[in-house]
Coordinates of all heavy atoms in Angstrom, one line a residue:
M102 N 14.2 4.0 -23.8 CA 14.4 5.4 -24.5 C 13.4 5.5 -25.6 O 12.8 6.6 -25.7 CB 15.8 5.5 -25.0 CG 16.9 5.6 -24.0 SD 16.7 7.1 -23.0 CE 16.8 8.4 -24.2
H105 N 9.6 5.6 -23.8 CA 9.5 6.1 -22.4 C 8.2 7.0 -22.3 O 7.7 7.0 -21.1 CB 10.8 6.8 -22.0 CG 11.0 8.2 -22.6 ND1 11.6 8.5 -23.7 CD2 10.6 9.4 -22.1 CE1 11.6 9.7 -24.0 NE2 11.0 10.3 -23.0
L109 N 5.9 6.1 -19.3 CA 5.6 7.0 -18.3 C 4.1 7.1 -18.1 O 3.6 7.1 -16.9 CB 6.1 8.5 -18.7 CG 7.6 8.8 -18.6 CD1 7.9 10.1 -19.3 CD2 8.0 8.7 -17.2
V201 N 22.9 5.3 -15.4 CA 22.3 6.6 -15.8 C 22.8 7.0 -17.2 O 23.9 6.4 -17.6 CB 22.7 7.7 -14.8 CG1 22.1 7.4 -13.4 CG2 24.2 7.9 -14.7
R202 N 22.1 7.8 -17.8 CA 22.4 8.3 -19.1 C 23.2 9.7 -19.0 O 22.7 10.6 -18.3 CB 21.2 8.4 -20.0 CG 21.4 8.7 -21.4 CD 20.1 8.6 -22.2 NE 19.1 9.6 -21.8 CZ 19.0 10.8 -22.3 NH1 19.8 11.2 -23.3 NH2 18.1 11.6 -21.9
H203 N 24.3 9.8 -19.6 CA 25.1 11.1 -19.5 C 24.6 12.0 -20.6 O 24.5 11.7 -21.7 CB 26.6 10.7 -19.7 CG 27.2 9.8 -18.6 ND1 27.3 10.2 -17.3 CD2 27.5 8.5 -18.6 CE1 27.8 9.3 -16.6 NE2 27.9 8.2 -17.4
I204 N 24.4 13.2 -20.2 CA 23.9 14.3 -21.1 C 24.7 15.5 -21.0 O 25.4 15.8 -20.0 CB 22.4 14.6 -20.8 CG1 22.3 15.1 -19.3 CG2 21.5 13.3 -21.0 CD1 20.9 15.7 -19.0
D205 N 24.5 16.4 -21.9 CA 25.1 17.7 -21.9 C 23.9 18.8 -21.9 O 23.3 18.9 -23.0 CB 26.0 18.0 -23.1 CG 26.6 19.4 -23.1 OD1 26.3 20.2 -22.2 OD2 27.4 19.7 -24.1
P206 N 23.7 19.4 -20.8 CA 22.5 20.3 -20.7 C 22.5 21.4 -21.8 O 21.4 21.9 -22.1 CB 22.6 20.9 -19.3 CG 23.3 19.9 -18.5 CD 24.3 19.3 -19.5
N207 N 23.7 21.8 -22.3 CA 23.7 22.8 -23.3 C 23.1 22.4 -24.6 O 22.8 23.3 -25.5 CB 25.2 23.2 -23.6 CG 25.8 23.9 -22.4 OD1 25.1 24.7 -21.7 ND2 27.1 23.6 -22.0
E208 N 22.9 21.1 -24.8 CA 22.3 20.6 -26.0 C 20.8 20.8 -26.1 O 20.2 20.7 -27.2 CB 22.6 19.1 -26.3 CG 24.1 18.9 -26.4 CD 24.4 17.4 -26.6 OE1 23.5 16.6 -26.5 OE2 25.6 17.1 -26.8
L209 N 20.1 21.1 -25.0 CA 18.7 21.3 -24.9 C 18.4 22.8 -25.3 O 18.7 23.7 -24.5 CB 18.1 21.0 -23.6 CG 16.7 21.2 -23.4 CD1 15.8 20.4 -24.4 CD2 16.2 20.9 -22.0
Q210 N 17.9 23.1 -26.5 CA 17.7 24.5 -26.9 C 16.4 24.5 -27.6 O 15.7 23.6 -27.9 CB 18.8 24.9 -27.9 CG 20.2 24.9 -27.3 CD 21.3 25.3 -28.3 OE1 21.0 25.5 -29.5 NE2 22.5 25.4 -27.8
I212 N 13.3 25.5 -26.7 CA 12.2 24.8 -25.9 C 10.9 25.7 -26.2 O 10.9 26.8 -25.8 CB 12.5 24.7 -24.4 CG1 14.0 24.2 -24.2 CG2 11.5 23.8 -23.7 CD1 14.4 24.3 -22.8
G218 N 6.7 21.5 -25.1 CA 8.1 21.9 -24.6 C 8.4 21.2 -23.3 O 9.6 20.7 -23.1
Y219 N 7.4 21.1 -22.5 CA 7.6 20.3 -21.2 C 7.9 18.9 -21.5 O 8.9 18.4 -20.9 CB 6.3 20.4 -20.4 CG 6.2 19.5 -19.2 CD1 7.0 19.7 -18.1 CD2 5.2 18.5 -19.2 CE1 6.8 18.9 -17.0 CE2 5.1 17.7 -18.1 CZ 5.9 17.9 -17.0 OH 5.8 17.1 -15.9
L220 N 7.2 18.2 -22.4 CA 7.6 16.9 -22.8 C 9.0 16.8 -23.4 O 9.7 15.8 -23.2 CB 6.5 16.3 -23.8 CG 5.1 16.2 -23.2 CD1 4.2 15.6 -24.3 CD2 5.2 15.2 -22.0
Q221 N 9.4 17.8 -24.1 CA 10.7 17.9 -24.7 C 11.8 17.9 -23.5 O 12.8 17.2 -23.7 CB 10.9 19.2 -25.6 CG 12.2 19.4 -26.2 CD 12.3 20.8 -26.9 OE1 11.3 21.5 -27.0 NE2 13.5 21.1 -27.4
I222 N 11.5 18.6 -22.5 CA 12.4 18.6 -21.3 C 12.5 17.2 -20.7 O 13.6 16.7 -20.4 CB 12.0 19.6 -20.3 CG1 12.1 21.0 -20.8 CG2 12.8 19.5 -19.0 CD1 11.3 22.1 -20.1
L223 N 11.4 16.6 -20.5 CA 11.4 15.2 -19.9 C 12.0 14.3 -20.8 O 12.8 13.4 -20.3 CB 9.9 14.8 -19.6 CG 9.1 15.6 -18.6 CD1 7.8 14.9 -18.3 CD2 9.9 16.0 -17.4
D224 N 11.9 14.4 -22.1 CA 12.5 13.5 -23.0 C 14.1 13.6 -22.9 O 14.8 12.7 -22.8 CB 12.2 13.9 -24.5 CG 10.8 13.4 -24.9 OD1 10.2 12.6 -24.1 OD2 10.4 13.8 -26.0
F225 N 14.5 14.9 -22.8 CA 15.9 15.2 -22.7 C 16.6 14.6 -21.5 O 17.7 14.1 -21.4 CB 16.2 16.7 -22.9 CG 17.7 17.0 -22.9 CD1 18.4 17.0 -24.1 CD2 18.4 17.4 -21.8 CE1 19.7 17.3 -24.2 CE2 19.7 17.7 -21.8 CZ 20.4 17.7 -23.0
Y226 N 15.9 14.8 -20.3 CA 16.4 14.4 -19.0 C 16.1 13.0 -18.6 O 16.5 12.6 -17.5 CB 16.0 15.5 -17.9 CG 16.8 16.7 -18.0 CD1 16.4 17.8 -18.7 CD2 18.1 16.8 -17.3 CE1 17.1 19.0 -18.8 CE2 18.8 18.0 -17.4 CZ 18.3 19.1 -18.1 OH 19.1 20.2 -18.2
F227 N 15.4 12.3 -19.4 CA 15.0 11.0 -19.1 C 16.2 10.1 -18.8 O 17.1 10.1 -19.6 CB 14.1 10.4 -20.2 CG 13.8 8.9 -20.1 CD1 12.8 8.5 -19.2 CD2 14.4 7.9 -20.8 CE1 12.4 7.2 -19.1 CE2 14.1 6.7 -20.7 CZ 13.1 6.2 -19.8
F228 N 16.2 9.4 -17.7 CA 17.2 8.5 -17.3 C 18.6 9.2 -17.1 O 19.6 8.6 -17.0 CB 17.5 7.3 -18.3 CG 17.2 6.0 -17.6 CD1 15.9 5.6 -17.3 CD2 18.2 5.1 -17.4 CE1 15.7 4.4 -16.6 CE2 18.0 3.9 -16.8 CZ 16.7 3.5 -16.4
S229 N 18.5 10.5 -17.0 CA 19.8 11.2 -16.6 C 20.0 11.1 -15.1 O 19.1 10.6 -14.3 CB 19.6 12.7 -16.9 OG 18.6 13.4 -16.2
D230 N 21.1 11.5 -14.6 CA 21.5 11.3 -13.2 C 20.7 12.3 -12.2 O 21.0 13.5 -12.3 CB 23.0 11.5 -13.1 CG 23.5 11.1 -11.7 OD1 22.8 11.0 -10.7 OD2 24.8 10.9 -11.6
A231 N 19.9 11.8 -11.4 CA 19.0 12.6 -10.5 C 19.9 13.3 -9.5 O 19.4 14.3 -9.0 CB 17.9 11.8 -9.9
L233 N 22.5 14.9 -10.2 CA 23.1 16.1 -10.8 C 21.9 17.0 -11.3 O 22.1 18.2 -11.4 CB 23.9 15.7 -12.0 CG 25.2 14.8 -11.7 CD1 25.9 14.4 -13.0 CD2 26.1 15.6 -10.8
Y234 N 20.8 16.3 -11.8 CA 19.7 17.1 -12.3 C 18.4 16.7 -11.6 O 17.7 15.7 -12.0 CB 19.6 16.8 -13.8 CG 20.9 16.8 -14.5 CD1 21.5 15.7 -15.0 CD2 21.5 18.1 -14.8 CE1 22.7 15.7 -15.7 CE2 22.7 18.2 -15.5 CZ 23.3 17.0 -15.9 OH 24.5 17.0 -16.6
C235 N 18.1 17.4 -10.5 CA 17.1 17.0 -9.6 C 15.8 17.6 -9.9 O 15.6 18.8 -9.8 CB 17.4 17.2 -8.1 SG 16.2 16.6 -7.0
F236 N 14.7 16.8 -10.3 CA 13.4 17.3 -10.5 C 12.5 17.1 -9.3 O 11.3 17.3 -9.4 CB 12.8 16.6 -11.7 CG 13.3 17.1 -13.0 CD1 14.5 16.6 -13.5 CD2 12.6 17.9 -13.8 CE1 15.1 17.0 -14.7 CE2 13.1 18.4 -15.0 CZ 14.3 17.9 -15.5
G242 N 20.2 8.0 -8.8 CA 19.8 7.1 -9.8 C 19.2 7.7 -11.0 O 19.2 9.0 -11.1
P243 N 18.7 7.0 -12.0 CA 18.2 7.6 -13.2 C 16.8 8.3 -12.9 O 16.0 7.9 -12.1 CB 17.9 6.4 -14.1 CG 18.6 5.2 -13.6 CD 18.7 5.5 -12.0
N244 N 16.7 9.5 -13.6 CA 15.5 10.3 -13.5 C 14.3 9.5 -14.3 O 14.5 9.0 -15.4 CB 15.6 11.6 -14.2 CG 16.1 12.7 -13.2 OD1 15.5 12.8 -12.1 ND2 17.1 13.5 -13.5
W245 N 13.2 9.4 -13.6 CA 12.0 8.9 -14.2 C 10.8 9.7 -13.6 O 10.7 9.8 -12.4 CB 11.8 7.3 -13.8 CG 10.8 6.7 -14.6 CD1 9.4 6.7 -14.2 CD2 10.9 5.9 -15.7 NE1 8.7 6.0 -15.2 CE2 9.6 5.5 -16.1 CE3 12.0 5.6 -16.6 CZ2 9.4 4.7 -17.3 CZ3 11.7 4.9 -17.7 CH2 10.4 4.4 -18.1
F246 N 10.0 10.1 -14.5 CA 9.0 11.2 -14.2 C 7.5 10.7 -14.0 O 6.7 11.2 -14.7 CB 9.1 12.4 -15.1 CG 10.5 12.9 -15.3 CD1 11.1 12.6 -16.6 CD2 11.2 13.5 -14.4 CE1 12.4 13.0 -16.8 CE2 12.5 14.0 -14.6 CZ 13.1 13.8 -15.8
V253 N 7.5 22.8 -13.1 CA 8.4 23.1 -14.2 C 7.8 24.2 -15.1 O 6.5 24.3 -15.3 CB 8.6 21.9 -15.2 CG1 9.5 22.2 -16.3 CG2 9.1 20.7 -14.3
S269 N 14.5 29.5 -21.9 CA 15.0 28.7 -20.9 C 13.8 28.1 -20.1 O 12.6 28.4 -20.3 CB 15.9 29.5 -19.9 OG 16.5 28.6 -19.0
F270 N 14.1 27.1 -19.3 CA 13.2 26.5 -18.4 C 13.7 26.4 -17.0 O 14.9 26.7 -16.8 CB 12.8 25.0 -18.9 CG 13.8 24.0 -18.4 CD1 13.7 23.2 -17.3 CD2 15.0 23.8 -19.2 CE1 14.6 22.3 -16.9 CE2 16.0 22.9 -18.8 CZ 15.8 22.1 -17.7
A271 N 12.9 26.1 -16.0 CA 13.3 26.1 -14.6 C 12.5 25.1 -13.9 O 11.4 24.8 -14.3 CB 13.3 27.5 -14.0
V272 N 13.1 24.5 -12.8 CA 12.4 23.6 -12.0 C 12.4 24.2 -10.6 O 13.4 24.7 -10.1 CB 13.1 22.2 -11.9 CG1 12.4 21.3 -11.0 CG2 13.2 21.6 -13.3
K277 N 20.1 21.3 -6.6 CA 20.6 20.9 -8.0 C 19.6 20.8 -9.1 O 19.5 19.9 -9.9 CB 21.3 19.5 -7.8 CG 22.6 19.7 -7.0 CD 23.4 18.4 -7.0 CE 24.8 18.6 -6.2 NZ 25.5 17.3 -6.2
T278 N 18.7 21.7 -9.1 CA 17.6 21.7 -10.2 C 18.2 22.2 -11.5 O 19.0 23.1 -11.5 CB 16.5 22.7 -9.7 OG1 17.0 24.0 -9.4 CG2 15.7 22.2 -8.5
P279 N 17.8 21.5 -12.5 CA 18.3 21.8 -13.8 C 17.7 23.1 -14.4 O 16.6 23.6 -13.8 CB 18.0 20.7 -14.7 CG 16.7 20.0 -14.1 CD 16.9 20.3 -12.6
G280 N 18.2 23.7 -15.4 CA 17.6 24.8 -16.1 C 18.1 26.1 -15.5 O 19.2 26.2 -15.0
A281 N 17.3 27.2 -15.4 CA 17.6 28.5 -15.0 C 18.1 28.4 -13.5 O 17.6 27.6 -12.7 CB 16.5 29.4 -15.0

Side-chain angles (χ1 to χ4, degrees):
M102 290 297 301
H105 75 273
L109 284 172
V201 297
R202 189 169 63 90
H203 298 290
I204 60 169
D205 178 0
N207 294 321
E208 293 178 359
L209 179 59
Q210 298 180 357
I212 311 166
Y219 168 68
L220 295 178
Q221 181 186 353
I222 295 166
L223 299 192
D224 286 350
F225 184 83
Y226 283 93
F227 174 77
F228 241 70
S229 63
D230 192 340
L233 299 177
Y234 314 107
C235 183
F236 286 79
N244 268 313
W245 189 277
F246 308 110
V253 177
S269 189
F270 79 99
V272 179
K277 294 188 177 178
T278 52

